[in-house]
Amino acid sequence: MQAASNKRSLSSFREENRLARRIRRGVLLSAAIAAAGAMIVAPAQAEPSLPGFGAGSAAAATDPAPQANFAPPNINIADGETVGVAQPIIITFQEPVTDRDTAEKAIEITSSKDAPGHFYWFSDRQVRWRPNDFWPDNTDVTVVAGGTTSSFRIGDALITTADDVTKTITVTRNGEVVKEMPTSMGKPKHETPNGIYIVGERNRKMIMDSSTYGVPVDAPEGYKLEVEYATRISNSGIFVHAAPWSVGQQGVSNVSHGCLNVSTEDARWFFENAQKGDPVIVQNTDGGTLNSRDGLGDWN
């Protein structure tokens, strides 16, 4: 009887050990899963962004930005400013930068909504960054570069499309059409280039002078006149502006020297609603494509 009792005890002991080992393995596995789960659910915005990849880059959590190899630079978007969804970040350095890779890694760009993007250099003294696609509307962005910081906001997605087939400008705000305007674009030999333009400066009134791009005022195609509600969309001299003299052609034929002519009322609306960084898409013209190095042609 005793022997039988000992065998039962040993068997019970082994079974208890096996059970204990299973429990320990289960506890460890549960702990591992919990830890992994904690990593997975961590909010993206809580982690620093890896330059060039927008907010939420997990790699940046263990790879802090290196020390900047440049003095505090200028950032084109002022702290607290609101800009459009096509606005690139332009960083201008005090001195030429020879080690571009180190400079890029020292620039931190974070956003409240995911916006993967990339750097591109205009010169050794200027690097630009833009998202691969337009910024998400109503996004907060912070740029930290060598002691210079700018925190700004991307506003509503005000996207303008000028179609040469219909001779119409259509404006949407966050996906909804809010305005349609007949237009007259560049006439033959002065065709408006296709592409994605970016709204720049806005002028209540300005003098447009053909001599600024090499055509004398007294030449057959020369001109010098004051225009109202002129909104620049390219550094090469293309504006959306009031052209009361061409209202009869707007929506019908192209008679401008490249600008987007609209009525005074429509030009005023655009002047008051468009903001720096809003995209203007020109399509279906015979004018080639806007130069990507224009300064406002970053999306081409």
Side-chain angles (χ1 to χ4, degrees):
M1 293 293 295
Q2 185 66 41
S5 176
N6 285 342
K7 286 182 179 179
R8 285 196 298 271
S9 298
L10 181 58
S11 174
S12 299
F13 177 74
R14 287 173 176 169
E15 183 63 28
E16 289 170 0
N17 276 345
R18 281 195 294 270
L19 180 59
R21 285 196 297 272
R22 290 194 190 102
I23 292 171
R24 284 196 296 271
R25 284 197 297 269
V27 170
L28 290 173
L29 180 59
S30 297
I33 291 171
M39 294 175 65
I40 292 169
V41 301
Q45 61 266 33
E47 298 183 1
S49 173
L50 188 65
F53 293 93
S57 174
T62 55
D63 296 328
Q67 183 175 356
N69 58 343
F70 50 83
N74 173 264
I75 298 175
N76 66 315
I77 310 171
D79 194 64
E81 188 174 8
T82 297
V83 296
V85 296
Q87 180 62 56
I89 296 167
I90 304 173
I91 298 173
T92 304
F93 303 102
Q94 297 184 37
E95 301 291 339
V97 172
T98 55
D99 186 348
R100 295 182 175 185
D101 185 60
T102 297
E104 289 180 11
K105 291 177 180 177
I107 299 169
E108 297 181 33
I109 301 170
T110 57
S111 60
S112 60
K113 297 180 182 178
D114 192 38
H118 60 279
F119 286 101
Y120 49 105
W121 291 75
F122 264 43
S123 70
D124 286 342
R125 295 189 63 165
Q126 186 182 106
V127 66
R128 297 184 175 207
W129 189 99
R130 71 165 177 81
N132 296 331
D133 300 305
F134 291 155
W135 291 98
D137 62 273
N138 297 294
T139 297
D140 295 313
V141 182
T142 297
V143 182
V144 180
T148 301
T149 299
S150 177
S151 294
F152 55 91
R153 184 167 179 80
I154 306 298
D156 287 345
L158 192 80
I159 299 176
T160 299
T161 302
D163 193 326
D164 196 22
V165 172
T166 61
K167 307 289 189 295
T168 301
I169 295 173
T170 303
V171 185
T172 63
R173 186 186 300 275
N174 299 331
E176 295 186 6
V177 175
V178 293
K179 186 73 172 176
E180 290 185 338
M181 301 177 279
T183 188
S184 180
M185 293 191 266
K187 60 187 176 181
K189 297 184 180 180
H190 299 274
E191 292 90 349
T192 309
N194 295 283
I196 300 175
Y197 296 67
I198 303 171
V199 169
E201 65 176 329
R202 291 172 293 169
N203 302 278
R204 173 63 183 82
K205 292 183 179 181
M206 69 174 294
I207 300 295
M208 289 192 169
D209 187 341
S210 63
S211 65
T212 59
Y213 61 89
V215 179
V217 173
D218 57 0
E221 290 294 333
Y223 57 86
K224 184 176 183 179
L225 71 163
E226 183 180 73
V227 300
E228 293 188 287
Y229 302 112
T231 301
R232 180 185 292 277
I233 59 173
S234 86
N235 283 333
S236 55
I238 298 177
F239 290 75
V240 178
H241 68 79
W245 57 85
S246 71
V247 168
Q249 287 77 40
Q250 292 166 21
V252 179
S253 61
N254 292 328
V255 297
S256 84
H257 287 84
C259 289
L260 277 60
N261 285 185
V262 295
S263 69
T264 301
E265 180 184 356
D266 287 343
R268 178 179 178 178
W269 185 94
F270 193 75
F271 175 87
E272 292 176 346
N273 285 273
Q275 65 183 355
K276 170 183 172 180
D278 285 338
V280 177
I281 303 167
V282 176
Q283 61 190 28
N284 297 320
T285 79
D286 294 325
T289 302
L290 178 67
N291 189 341
S292 63
R293 306 286 291 187
D294 171 89
L296 291 173
D298 298 57
W299 293 88
N300 301 297

